């Protein structure tokens, strides 16, 4: 396979090297260079070597123009990017470019592997396909010429491709695959399982894809994480829209959509939007804590800004020598009065959403009593809102299972680009609940029976009570009380009812008598 065909005359090729270019995204880097280059160019064989980025061009004029771009581009850290230009041999993918008959056979082979209804292309174990082996064509996708030829056929013949399976191809790098971002941006499902990928960094080369499903199991990189939550967090940093990883459903990010162009308006005493803002915050808190208590806190990634901060504190009494019942929280507590080591005080401040969600993931599993929440919005501008929530929760696992805690949480949020709340600062204070708080936690109080109570409800509320009574088996007055306690949110009322029923906290008299 691959005769020594050389495009261009000897000496017409140039190698372009960007030192430290390995830390830059390919699309951003190439676009930045093109924007500063006086002539258009097409990078050939773009790839990373250790910490460098390299590609080739075939024209002395282009090479000269690229040399002039050196030190004219600054990255996000305001560091100037240097570009080295040197004469080169013909690039590998050009020198060993597949012959027309080889391309045609590869195309026929790929056509057989394409599902037109699912818009899916199955290229697993491509090298061992009999249609290629019988024609003595060796397609090794780690070779840039083979991957380039494969992507060229995909671009020309499967423009609406949604699913691509590249499993079991012994891939150890994704340099060649990076061109798929521009060539076939429609791909939503990618299977890279059972390859030889060692570093998550390789995924940065294709993070421009808006993937919804990704398979990585069977790659060495999967064994480099201490736990599943850290693994999921790292992959979702590359692909924020990911819904499934290795066949596992991921929790959706917490977002709250609104219709107004600005989330937060200047505060006025008679401002008509205050009810809308109140509703928005309460809905956000409900979704946040339902996700927080779900057992998989990875779904909270979408609620935080990339550079958000989080801190946790617990009470500190220097005279209290007894071991604290809050020991699961004490190791993360950032109380300045207790910590003598300034380095540790800084280290305990969680910075970036990934670190925050990882920190939240190791805290005890909980169940919050949403009906106990007291919410206060105490500062707002057009671009920032500060609010706090007080309430109680109980731990549902571990040696402190059943323990009731009280908490205060302060959020500072800004509008996000997708018209949702975005947390930039999160402070959590946890303490032991008082006996009164413990006694009242997760309890539904018996309503005072009023014979005409249904008559003061709207028609919609009466229908909700009837429906809730039918589904829960509770009497009408108990169903009404449960809905009222949860502000007529039918879904939340159902979740609270199910939780309390499972714990045996609803008395028998609340239920209808079965004849």
């Amino acid at each position: 396979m691959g005769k020594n065909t050389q495009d261009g005359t000897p000496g017409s090729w140039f190698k372009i090297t960007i030192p430290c270019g390995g830390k830059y995204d390919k699309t951003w880097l190439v676009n930045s260079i093109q924007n500063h280059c006086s002539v258009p160019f097409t990078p050939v064989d773009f790839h990373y070597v250790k910490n460098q980025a390299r590609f080739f061009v075939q024209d002395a004029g282009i090479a000269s123009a690229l040399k002039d771009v050196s030190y004219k581009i600054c990255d996000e850290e305001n560091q100037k990017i240097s570009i080295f230009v040197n004469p080169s041999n013909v690039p590998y993918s050009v020198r060993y470019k597949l012959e027309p008959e080889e391309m045609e056979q590869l195309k026929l082979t790929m056509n057989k592997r394409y599902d037109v209804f699912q818009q899916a292309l199955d290229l697993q174990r491509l090298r061992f396909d009999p249609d290629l082996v019988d024609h003595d064509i060796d397609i090794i996708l780690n070779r840039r010429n083979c991957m380039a030829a494969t992507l060229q056929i995909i671009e020309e013949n499967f423009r609406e491709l949604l699913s691509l399976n590249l499993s079991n191809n012994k891939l150890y790098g994704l340099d060649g695959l990076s061109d798929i971002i521009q060539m076939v941006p429609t791909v939503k499902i990618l299977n890279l399982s059972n390859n030889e990928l060692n570093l998550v960094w390789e995924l940065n080369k294709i993070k421009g894809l808006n993937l919804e499903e990704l398979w990585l199991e069977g790659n060495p990189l999967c064994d480099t994480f201490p736990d599943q939550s850290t693994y999921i967090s790292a992959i979702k940093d590359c692909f924020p829209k990911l819904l499934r990883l290795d066949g596992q459903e991921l929790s959706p990010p917490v977002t709250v959509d609104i219709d107004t162009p600005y989330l937060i308006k200047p505060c006025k005493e008679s401002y008509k939007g205050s009810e809308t803002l109140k509703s928005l915050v309460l809905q956000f808190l409900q979704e946040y804590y339902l996700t927080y208590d779900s057992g998989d806190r990875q779904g909270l990634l979408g609620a935080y800004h990339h550079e958000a901060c989080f801190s946790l504190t617990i009470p500190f009494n220097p005279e209290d020598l007894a071991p604290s019942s809050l020991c699961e929280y004490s190791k993360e507590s950032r109380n300045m009065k207790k910590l003598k080591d300034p380095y540790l005080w800084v280290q305990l401040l969680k910075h970036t959403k990934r670190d925050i969600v990882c920190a939240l993931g190791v805290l005890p599993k909980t169940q919050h009593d949403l009906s106990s929440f007291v919410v206060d919005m105490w500062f707002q501008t057009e671009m920032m809102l500060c609010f706090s929530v007080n309430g109680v929760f109980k731990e549902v696992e571990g040696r402190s299972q059943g323990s009731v805690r009280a908490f205060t949480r302060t959020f500072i949020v800004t509008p996000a680009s997708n018209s949702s709340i975005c947390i930039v600062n999160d402070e959590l204070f946890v303490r032991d609940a008082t006996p009164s708080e413990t006694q009242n936690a997760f309890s539904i109080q018996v309503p005072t029976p009023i014979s005409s109570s249904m008559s003061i409800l709207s028609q919609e509320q009466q229908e909700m009570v009837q429906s809730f009574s039918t589904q829960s088996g509770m009497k009408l007055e108990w169903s009404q009380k449960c809905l009222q306690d949860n502000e007529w949110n039918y879904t939340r009322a159902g979740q609270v009812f199910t939780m309390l029923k499972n714990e045996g906290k609803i008395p028998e008299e609340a239920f209808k008598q079965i004849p």
Side-chain angles (χ1 to χ4, degrees):
M1 181 197 75
K3 297 179 182 177
N4 253 334
T5 56
Q6 295 192 6
D7 293 355
T9 57
S12 64
W13 284 94
F14 295 83
K15 178 173 69 176
I16 313 300
T17 304
I18 298 93
C20 301
K23 65 180 180 179
Y24 303 122
D25 172 67
K26 173 188 174 181
T27 302
W28 177 85
L29 184 60
V30 172
N31 288 344
S32 298
I33 295 174
Q34 182 65 83
N35 290 338
H36 288 80
C37 189
S38 58
V39 296
F41 68 93
T42 301
V44 176
D45 262 6
F46 184 102
H47 59 286
Y48 297 96
V49 179
K50 294 184 179 178
N51 198 35
Q52 298 180 347
R54 291 181 185 173
F55 62 87
F56 300 86
V57 294
Q58 186 189 12
D59 185 276
I62 294 176
S64 178
L66 287 171
K67 189 181 296 184
D68 292 338
V69 177
S70 188
Y71 294 105
K72 291 184 179 179
I73 302 170
C74 288
D75 61 17
E76 292 180 348
E77 299 174 352
N78 209 31
Q79 297 290 321
K80 291 186 176 181
I81 297 175
S82 57
I83 299 175
F84 296 149
V85 179
N86 295 290
S88 170
N89 295 324
V90 181
Y92 181 91
S93 63
V94 176
R95 190 184 319 150
Y96 297 103
K97 190 174 182 178
L98 269 64
E99 296 293 339
E101 60 270 21
E102 294 174 323
M103 287 290 289
E104 186 60 29
Q105 185 57 49
L106 179 58
K107 176 182 172 182
L108 291 173
T109 303
M110 291 170 63
N111 270 321
K112 288 184 179 181
R113 289 166 166 256
Y114 182 66
D115 185 333
V116 66
F117 297 105
Q118 301 292 328
Q119 294 175 288
L121 182 60
D122 184 357
L123 299 183
Q124 63 173 314
R125 301 184 190 275
L126 182 61
R127 182 182 185 184
F128 304 105
D129 191 295
D131 288 342
L132 297 175
V133 175
D134 291 347
H135 289 81
D136 197 27
I137 300 175
D138 199 11
I139 299 295
I140 301 176
L141 293 181
N142 273 316
R143 295 176 178 171
R144 291 194 293 276
N145 62 326
C146 293
M147 182 63 83
T150 302
L151 291 179
Q152 180 184 333
I153 292 172
I154 292 176
E155 182 182 30
E156 293 173 354
N157 298 275
F158 313 119
R159 289 292 300 168
E160 303 302 319
L161 185 67
L162 294 178
S163 176
L164 178 61
N165 186 349
L166 292 173
S167 63
N168 293 286
N169 278 295
K170 296 188 177 181
L171 291 171
Y172 54 79
L174 299 178
D175 286 313
L177 187 60
S178 64
D179 288 331
I180 196 174
I181 299 169
Q182 288 77 33
M183 299 172 81
V184 200
T186 54
V187 171
K188 301 294 183 185
I189 302 172
L190 181 62
N191 191 337
L192 293 172
S193 60
N194 299 308
N195 280 298
E196 304 296 332
L197 299 172
N198 287 287
L199 301 172
V200 174
W201 185 80
E202 288 294 328
L203 298 176
N204 288 327
K205 300 169 185 178
I206 57 169
K207 69 179 183 180
L209 288 175
N210 292 316
L211 293 182
E212 296 177 359
E213 182 171 342
L214 177 64
W215 294 77
L216 290 170
E217 60 184 1
N219 282 282
L221 69 84
C222 297
D223 299 324
T224 63
F225 297 94
D227 51 53
Q228 183 73 1
S229 62
T230 308
Y231 168 56
I232 293 173
S233 177
I235 304 306
K236 286 207 72 171
D237 271 357
C238 292
F239 306 104
K241 296 182 180 180
L242 204 63
L243 301 177
R244 286 173 297 278
L245 177 60
D246 297 333
Q248 176 187 344
E249 295 283 339
L250 304 181
S251 301
V254 176
T255 58
V256 182
D257 292 331
I258 57 173
D259 297 327
T260 51
Y262 283 101
L263 170 65
I264 304 157
K265 298 287 186 177
C267 182
K268 292 184 180 179
E269 193 171 338
S270 61
Y271 179 57
K272 296 180 181 179
S274 58
E275 283 300 315
T276 302
L277 188 56
K278 170 187 170 183
S279 175
L280 176 67
V281 170
L282 294 180
Q283 183 184 355
F284 170 79
L285 288 173
Q286 177 189 339
E287 294 186 14
Y288 182 94
Y289 280 103
L290 287 177
T291 304
Y292 189 95
D293 292 340
S294 68
D296 180 11
R297 292 171 182 163
Q298 290 301 312
L300 297 174
L301 271 171
Y304 288 91
H305 187 275
H306 287 288
E307 299 296 323
C309 290
F310 167 77
S311 60
L312 167 69
T313 53
I314 61 173
F316 171 60
N317 183 357
E319 299 178 359
D320 187 4
L321 301 178
S324 171
S325 64
L326 298 169
C327 56
E328 290 297 318
Y329 303 90
S330 61
K331 56 190 175 185
E332 297 294 332
S333 178
R334 202 168 165 265
N335 192 328
M336 291 177 60
K337 294 173 67 176
K338 183 177 181 181
L339 294 174
K340 304 301 182 184
D341 184 352
Y343 172 77
L344 185 59
W345 184 54
V346 172
Q347 189 180 41
L348 288 173
L349 178 65
K350 307 304 177 184
H351 185 240
T352 75
K353 65 178 184 179
R354 178 180 170 185
D355 286 347
I356 292 172
V357 174
C358 284
L360 296 178
V362 300
L363 294 179
K365 295 193 183 324
T366 57
Q367 178 65 55
H368 285 74
D369 182 0
L370 301 183
S371 63
S372 73
F373 282 13
V374 176
V375 182
D376 182 27
M377 294 181 286
W378 43 271
F379 182 77
Q380 61 186 94
T381 68
E382 194 166 294
M383 294 300 293
M384 184 172 67
L385 172 66
C386 304
F387 60 92
S388 58
V389 54
N390 300 278
V392 297
F393 66 86
K394 65 179 178 181
E395 297 183 17
V396 296
E397 282 187 4
R399 58 184 173 182
S400 297
Q401 183 174 355
S403 297
V404 177
R405 316 290 190 194
F407 76 95
T408 298
R409 200 157 191 168
T410 301
F411 292 105
I412 300 177
V413 303
T414 62
S417 57
N418 58 347
S419 299
S420 65
I421 280 180
C422 182
I423 303 171
V424 294
N425 194 74
D426 177 6
E427 289 185 5
L428 173 61
F429 174 76
V430 179
R431 61 175 173 82
D432 287 317
T434 64
S436 175
E437 288 171 328
T438 302
Q439 182 178 358
N440 293 328
F442 300 96
S443 63
I444 297 180
Q445 297 180 359
V446 181
T448 304
I450 302 176
S451 59
S452 61
S453 62
M454 291 292 289
S455 62
I456 62 174
L457 302 179
S458 68
Q459 181 66 33
E460 181 184 5
Q461 289 172 332
Q462 291 183 41
E463 291 174 357
M464 287 176 68
V465 172
Q466 291 284 357
S467 176
F468 198 90
S469 177
T470 301
Q471 292 188 330
S472 67
M474 287 199 303
K475 297 174 183 177
L476 291 174
E477 62 267 27
W478 281 81
S479 297
Q480 177 181 333
K481 177 63 174 173
C482 189
L483 287 165
Q484 285 175 332
D485 286 348
N486 289 281
E487 299 182 345
W488 295 97
N489 184 314
Y490 197 96
T491 302
R492 184 169 66 186
Q495 292 169 332
V496 171
F497 165 77
T498 301
M499 177 190 68
L500 296 179
K501 183 181 179 184
N502 291 338
E503 295 173 355
K505 290 192 173 182
I506 302 179
E508 292 183 7
E509 61 264 27
F511 293 93
K512 304 171 188 176
Q513 296 299 317
I514 301 176

